[in-house]
């Protein structure tokens, strides 16, 4: 007795709802054709009245096509229908309570079912995927299914349920519809619920439950039926019947337990084996991961060392021939300038200038590569103080130059003092350089209060640049101006960006040609 | 003539020639001996191998040492000089392209007497050699000869 819900749960539950509709429609057909056996199944049974038959068939269709219609304009019609069903159910109940006309609309028991069932679909329509609601609806579904099951059982036992108290009894096909629709309700809620998690799926827990629960159910059912049928036989004492029942139930229970322990043991062993295998796999994975990390670290260290060796080599070996070029150019100039005209000596000068430039490039490149190697020393840095020192130095370069450097006092930040000094030096030197053509050069350093967090800026009234090239300016060797106008290696802002990358900060620029440039930076 | 040799350990002939030229321009009359690798430099100083016939007491007034050298590098040459009881007081100045902090630190740790980074600008280089000569050949008092 293995319910394999795993395979096609949707179709499984759809089958329930469509069966309910089919049963109800058959009953309706019975009423319409006058062939009432279709509504009552057996002539001595209560037939299913017209109204519940209509409700069952429509509810069956709603559940069957719940996914498709719940999100369309149809949902309003469904709401309307559900409300009508609930109201009708309440009227029937009220009618039964005040005992006015116990007529044949529908049984009060089935009215209770319709109220609960419609409310459930109502909730499902409104709250869809909410786990707690779906859990609740599944519990309601199970209770309703048991209710229907009780009705069917009562027919089997031979005493159509609830004939007493002048109330209309529930038809047997009504009971079947109740069971089917309740199971279908569980079906549409199951996907978004957790409550059946222990009963469906592939887990050992679910497998064991699926094996035991139905067996217990049928054991008790069989035992009870036996009890009832034997009690109808005359001349058999209750003592014998009860003894027989105990014997049968206990026998079936023993078989159930026997069979189940086998399953439990089997599943437990399987679980143990799977766990063991998984553990071994995890250990294996861990080991291989550790080895990988180890390998990568070795590779990285080797790569880093190679990089260090490379930058050392660049600083040492590339400079040496440059010095040769410069030295011999100077020697040529000194020893043979008498044999050269002014053009020739001019060439020599150019060679020497270019050599110097190459030297500066190499030096800056080395500095840039060093930035990624130094260890960070984080502390509170007084940027205003740093800026003041730089300003003093810049003002001293050309004493006669009109240069205003305005520095907001008390600007502090958390970062590496050495690196931040390089940043400010580069930014101030840039502003100094690009305000060169201005008669009244102004450089401002402060904090931008319009922006969120601590955003610092260095603003100048220099020559500026076209913002089209803004993304280029922080790249290495990128220059925004001709070398003859503004000399430089184009590495200053690349250095600044690299420092902010290391300090987890951010730097950007705003500029306008002939108006000036503002460089902003912020720290995390 | 004793005690007036300047020993230049430099593997690049062109660079050595430029250094010689700079010394000549600063009117230094001391003889400049150029050796191209660390091993031969040590042989010269310790009077072994190629230089086994040399007088041990006739040591250079100063050694100008490059760091990157064939066979034995500058740091090892310096270390050997400082460990040699006959040579340990010998003034040694590094003359190199490197300005790596680690190279400078290591040199001083090993007891170097000075560290000059060769500038690319030849005019500045000549100025440096001139100042160097003035100090080490004229102002500085050399160590007494180890006996």
């Amino acid at each position: 007795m293995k319910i394999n819900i795993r395979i096609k749960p949707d179709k499984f539950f759809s089958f329930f709802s469509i069966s309910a509709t089919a049963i109800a429609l058959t009953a309706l057909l019975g009423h319409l054709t006058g062939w009432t056996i279709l509504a009552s199944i057996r002539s001595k049974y209560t037939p299913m009245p017209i109204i519940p038959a209509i409700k069952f068939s429509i509810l069956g269709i709603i559940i069957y096509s719940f996914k498709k219609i719940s999100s369309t304009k149809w949902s309003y019609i469904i709401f309307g229908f559900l409300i009508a069903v609930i109201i009708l159910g309440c009227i029937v109940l009220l009618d039964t309570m005040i005992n006015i006309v116990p007529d044949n609309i529908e049984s009060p028991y089935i009215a209770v079912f319709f109220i609960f069932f419609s409310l459930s679909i109502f909730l499902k329509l409104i709250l869809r995927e909410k786990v707690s609601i779906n859990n609740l609806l599944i519990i309601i579904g199970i209770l309703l299914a048991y209710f229907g099951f009780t009705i069917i059982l009562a027919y089997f036992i031979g005493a159509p349920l609830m004939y007493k108290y002048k109330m209309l009894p529930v038809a047997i096909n009504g009971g079947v519809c109740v069971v089917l629709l309740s199971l279908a309700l569980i079906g549409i809620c199951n996907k978004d619920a957790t409550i059946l998690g222990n009963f469906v799926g592939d887990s050992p827990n679910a497998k064991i439950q699926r094996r035991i629960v139905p067996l217990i159910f049928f054991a008790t059912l069989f035992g009870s039926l036996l009890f009832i049928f034997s009690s109808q036989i005359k001349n058999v004492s209750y003592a014998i019947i009860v003894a027989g029942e105990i014997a049968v139930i206990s026998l079936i229970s023993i078989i159930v337990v026997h069979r189940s322990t086998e399953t439990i043991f089997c599943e437990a062993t399987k679980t143990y084996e799977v766990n063991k295998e998984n553990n071994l796999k995890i250990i294996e994975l861990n080991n291989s991961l550790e080895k990988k990390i180890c390998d990568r670290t070795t590779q990285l260290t080797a790569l880093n060392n190679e990089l260090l060796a490379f930058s050392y080599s660049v600083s040492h070996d590339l400079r040496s021939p440059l010095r040769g070029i410069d030295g011999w150019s100077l020697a040529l100039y000194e020893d043979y300038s008498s044999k050269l005209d002014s053009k020739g000596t001019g060439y020599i000068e150019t060679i020497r200038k270019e050599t110097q430039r190459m030297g500066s490039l190499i030096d800056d490149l080395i500095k840039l590569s060093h930035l990624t190697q130094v260890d960070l020393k984080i502390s509170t840095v007084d940027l205003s103080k740093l800026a003041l020192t730089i300003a003093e130095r810049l003002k001293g370069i050309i004493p006669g130059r009109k240069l205003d450097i305005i520095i907001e006092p008390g600007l502090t930040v958390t970062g590496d003092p050495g690196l931040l000094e390089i940043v400010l030096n580069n930014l101030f030197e840039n502003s100094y350089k690009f305000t060169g053509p201005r008669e009244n050069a102004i450089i401002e350093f402060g904090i931008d209060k319009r922006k969120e967090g601590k955003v610092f800026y260095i603003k100048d009234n220099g020559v500026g640049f076209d913002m089209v090239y803004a993304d280029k300016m922080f790249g290495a060797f990128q220059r925004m101006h001709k070398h003859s106008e503004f000399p430089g290696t184009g590495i200053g802002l690349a250095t600044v960006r690299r420092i902010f990358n290391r300090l987890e900060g951010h730097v950007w620029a705003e500029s306008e040609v002939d108006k000036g440039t503002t460089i902003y930076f912020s720290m995390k | 003539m004793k005690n007036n040799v300047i020993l230049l350990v430099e593997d690049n002939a062109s660079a050595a020639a430029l250094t010689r030229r700079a010394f000549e321009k600063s009117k230094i009359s001391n003889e400049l001996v150029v050796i191209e690798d660390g091993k031969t430099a040590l042989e010269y100083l310790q009077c072994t191998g190629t230089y086994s016939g040399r007088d041990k007491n006739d040591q250079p007034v100063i050694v100008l040492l490059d760091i990157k050298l064939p066979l034995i590098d500058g740091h090892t040459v310096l270390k050997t000089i400082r460990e040699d009881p006959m040579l340990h007081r010998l003034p040694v100045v590094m003359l190199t392209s490197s300005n790596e902090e680690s190279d400078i630190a290591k040199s001083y740790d090993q007891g170097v007497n000075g560290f000059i980074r060769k500038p690319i600008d030849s005019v500045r280089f000549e100025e440096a050699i001139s100042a160097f000569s003035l100090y080490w050949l004229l102002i500085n008092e050399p160590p007494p000869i180890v006996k």
Side-chain angles (χ1 to χ4, degrees):
Chain A
M1 187 68 202
K2 193 173 176 179
I3 304 170
N4 209 341
I5 299 170
R6 187 166 50 96
I7 298 176
K8 290 170 188 168
D10 282 350
K11 288 200 173 167
F12 197 70
F13 290 114
S14 300
F15 170 76
F16 287 155
S17 52
I18 212 68
S19 304
T21 305
I23 291 167
L25 286 176
T26 312
L28 260 181
L29 193 71
H31 283 291
L32 292 174
T33 54
W35 202 12
T36 45
I37 193 77
L38 287 176
S40 59
I41 312 298
R42 277 179 77 179
S43 53
K44 62 175 178 173
Y45 288 174
T46 312
M48 183 191 281
I50 294 175
I51 289 179
I54 294 170
K55 286 195 269 187
F56 275 130
S57 48
I58 294 175
L59 285 174
I61 291 165
I62 289 174
I63 296 275
Y64 179 74
S65 47
F66 189 80
K67 243 197 271 170
K68 285 176 209 156
I69 58 173
S70 60
S71 53
T72 60
K73 58 183 177 179
W74 279 93
S75 59
Y76 293 106
I77 299 167
I78 297 171
F79 275 130
F81 175 74
L82 293 175
I83 291 166
V85 171
I86 293 166
I87 291 170
L88 189 65
C90 291
I91 291 171
V92 171
L93 282 184
L94 199 69
D95 183 48
T96 312
M97 267 184 268
I98 52 177
N99 215 353
I100 310 165
V101 261
D103 54 13
N104 289 350
I105 296 178
E106 66 184 14
S107 157
Y109 303 102
I110 217 78
V112 170
F113 164 78
F114 280 130
I115 291 168
F116 275 102
F117 193 79
S118 303
L119 272 174
S120 302
I121 298 175
F122 207 92
L123 279 175
K124 177 71 187 162
L125 272 173
I126 298 165
L127 296 163
R128 280 167 204 286
E129 275 121 43
K130 214 169 170 201
V131 174
S132 55
I133 285 298
N134 284 296
N135 283 343
L136 174 75
L137 296 184
I138 286 181
I139 292 169
I140 293 175
I142 291 170
L143 292 176
L144 291 177
Y146 259 91
F147 171 67
F149 187 63
T150 316
I151 295 166
I152 300 166
L153 268 187
Y155 274 95
F156 269 103
I157 292 162
L161 188 69
M162 301 147 192
Y163 268 107
K164 294 173 183 173
Y165 315 116
K166 290 189 195 170
M167 287 184 213
L168 190 70
V170 181
I172 184 168
N173 43 4
V176 173
C177 284
V178 167
V179 173
L180 292 174
L181 284 181
S182 305
L183 290 176
L185 175 69
I186 295 168
I188 60 167
C189 297
N190 184 38
K191 259 191 188 165
D192 304 315
T194 53
I195 197 163
L196 286 184
N198 276 346
F199 200 73
V200 291
D202 268 341
S203 69
N205 196 345
K207 282 183 188 168
I208 294 167
Q209 283 199 41
R210 284 206 294 271
R211 180 160 281 259
I212 297 177
V213 171
L215 286 175
I216 290 174
F217 179 78
F218 282 103
T220 42
L221 176 69
F222 187 67
S224 306
L225 286 176
L226 195 75
F227 178 82
I228 289 156
F229 289 126
S230 9
S231 62
Q232 286 170 347
I233 305 166
K234 282 172 190 169
N235 303 326
V236 180
S237 78
Y238 267 106
I240 296 233
I241 295 168
V242 172
E245 192 205 353
I246 290 168
V248 169
I249 293 181
S250 59
L251 185 68
I252 296 173
S253 300
I254 287 164
I255 294 168
V256 167
V257 171
H258 174 76
R259 289 291 312 272
S260 309
T261 42
E262 208 175 290
T263 319
I264 291 165
F265 179 74
C266 208
E267 289 299 331
T269 317
K270 252 192 242 165
T271 312
Y272 173 74
E273 290 295 329
V274 169
N275 279 348
K276 203 168 132 190
E277 211 173 287
N278 283 346
N279 280 345
L280 280 176
K281 264 185 204 161
I282 288 168
I283 290 168
E284 213 172 276
L285 273 176
N286 266 345
N287 286 344
S288 75
L289 205 66
E290 256 169 45
K291 200 185 165 291
K292 251 184 205 167
I293 291 170
C294 199
D295 286 352
R296 289 278 189 281
T297 313
T298 315
Q299 279 173 3
L300 212 65
T301 314
L303 214 65
N304 214 22
N305 286 340
E306 219 168 90
L307 206 68
L308 276 174
F310 175 75
S311 79
Y312 181 88
S313 176
V314 167
S315 82
H316 198 274
D317 296 343
L318 287 190
R319 291 172 60 87
S320 179
L322 270 186
R323 226 179 12 257
I325 296 169
D326 192 66
W328 294 116
S329 304
L330 184 67
L332 183 67
Y333 177 79
E334 284 171 350
D335 297 357
Y336 294 92
S337 57
S338 58
K339 291 183 181 169
L340 291 168
D341 55 8
S342 60
K343 207 175 174 186
T345 52
Y347 287 168
I348 295 175
E349 254 171 56
T350 310
I351 293 172
R352 291 198 57 217
K353 245 188 233 163
E354 291 299 308
T355 314
Q356 299 305 326
R357 201 154 76 86
M358 182 75 184
S360 311
L361 277 174
I362 293 171
D363 284 352
D364 284 351
L365 202 61
I366 296 304
K367 278 184 207 156
L368 193 63
S369 81
H370 276 194
L371 288 180
T372 49
Q373 290 158 9
V374 293
D375 292 328
L376 291 180
K377 292 174 191 115
I378 303 296
S379 63
T380 306
V381 184
D382 189 340
L383 293 179
S384 301
K385 207 173 152 189
L386 266 179
L388 271 175
T389 318
I390 296 165
E392 288 306 312
R393 181 169 62 78
L394 292 178
K395 279 178 178 171
I397 296 175
I398 306 171
R401 187 179 163 192
K402 197 160 176 346
L403 172 68
D404 274 339
I405 302 182
I406 306 155
I407 295 163
E408 199 177 313
L411 301 178
T412 58
V413 79
T414 309
D416 183 291
L419 293 182
L420 285 167
E421 193 180 341
I422 296 175
V423 165
L424 288 188
N425 259 321
N426 271 302
L427 297 181
F428 271 101
E429 276 167 16
N430 272 352
S431 289
Y432 181 84
K433 186 161 67 181
F434 294 114
T435 50
R438 297 281 179 263
E439 273 185 30
N440 294 311
I442 302 167
I443 303 171
E444 268 179 77
F445 176 49
I447 198 161
D448 193 333
K449 291 177 184 76
R450 292 168 303 166
K451 294 191 164 70
E452 245 180 74
K454 265 189 180 179
V455 175
F456 300 96
Y457 69 90
I458 292 182
K459 189 181 173 189
D460 64 55
N461 63 341
V463 294
F465 64 90
D466 192 340
M467 281 297 277
V468 174
Y469 309 110
D471 54 334
K472 261 178 80 177
M473 68 184 296
F474 287 99
F477 302 118
Q478 296 293 338
R479 297 173 38 76
M480 316 298 285
H481 302 90
K482 277 183 230 156
H483 192 269
S484 55
E485 288 172 350
F486 298 101
T489 52
I491 213 128
L493 285 179
T495 307
V496 168
R497 170 158 286 180
R498 196 170 278 205
I499 288 173
F500 281 114
N501 283 348
R502 278 214 72 187
L503 295 177
E504 294 183 350
H506 189 47
V507 60
W508 67 99
E510 277 170 21
S511 188
E512 205 177 321
V513 177
D514 283 338
K515 292 269 171 67
T517 304
T518 310
I519 305 279
Y520 294 95
F521 65 89
S522 66
M523 305 282 282
K524 217 177 174 185
Chain B
M1 201 174 161
K2 280 185 177 181
N3 246 350
N4 71 347
V5 163
I6 299 168
L7 177 64
L8 173 67
V9 192
E10 165 68 77
D11 65 320
N12 184 336
S14 157
L18 282 173
T19 309
R20 186 185 292 281
R21 192 183 156 85
F23 272 116
E24 279 164 7
K25 277 176 86 176
S26 61
K27 311 271 185 268
I28 295 298
S29 58
N30 299 50
E31 188 194 345
L32 184 77
V33 174
V34 179
I35 289 176
E36 292 182 355
D37 69 89
K39 186 170 171 282
T40 317
L42 283 175
E43 283 176 2
Y44 177 89
L45 292 169
Q46 292 171 328
C47 304
T48 53
T50 332
Y51 294 95
S52 53
R54 218 176 63 83
D55 180 5
K56 264 193 170 180
N57 291 324
D58 185 15
Q59 292 298 6
V61 63
I62 186 138
V63 179
L64 278 169
L65 196 56
D66 197 358
I67 291 176
K68 260 186 121 181
L69 287 172
L71 306 177
I72 298 174
D73 71 20
H75 288 304
T76 314
V77 172
L78 176 61
K79 189 169 172 268
T80 315
I81 290 171
R82 289 294 175 250
E83 283 168 357
D84 189 321
M86 289 291 287
L87 298 171
H88 72 281
R89 287 178 188 154
L90 192 65
V92 179
V93 169
M94 292 296 187
L95 181 68
T96 173
S97 307
S98 166
N99 69 339
E100 289 286 325
E101 213 179 283
S102 57
D103 275 343
I104 300 173
K106 197 172 176 189
S107 302
Y108 278 105
D109 287 348
Q110 289 173 330
V112 83
N113 299 91
F115 195 104
I116 300 171
R117 193 202 184 197
K118 288 190 267 187
I120 287 176
D121 187 336
S122 304
V123 176
R124 281 179 50 217
F125 177 62
E126 283 171 1
E127 283 167 7
I129 289 298
S130 173
F132 166 84
S133 311
L134 180 71
Y135 179 77
W136 284 105
L137 304 177
L138 295 174
I139 299 170
N140 187 53
E141 202 64 51
I145 295 165
V146 181
K147 283 174 184 162

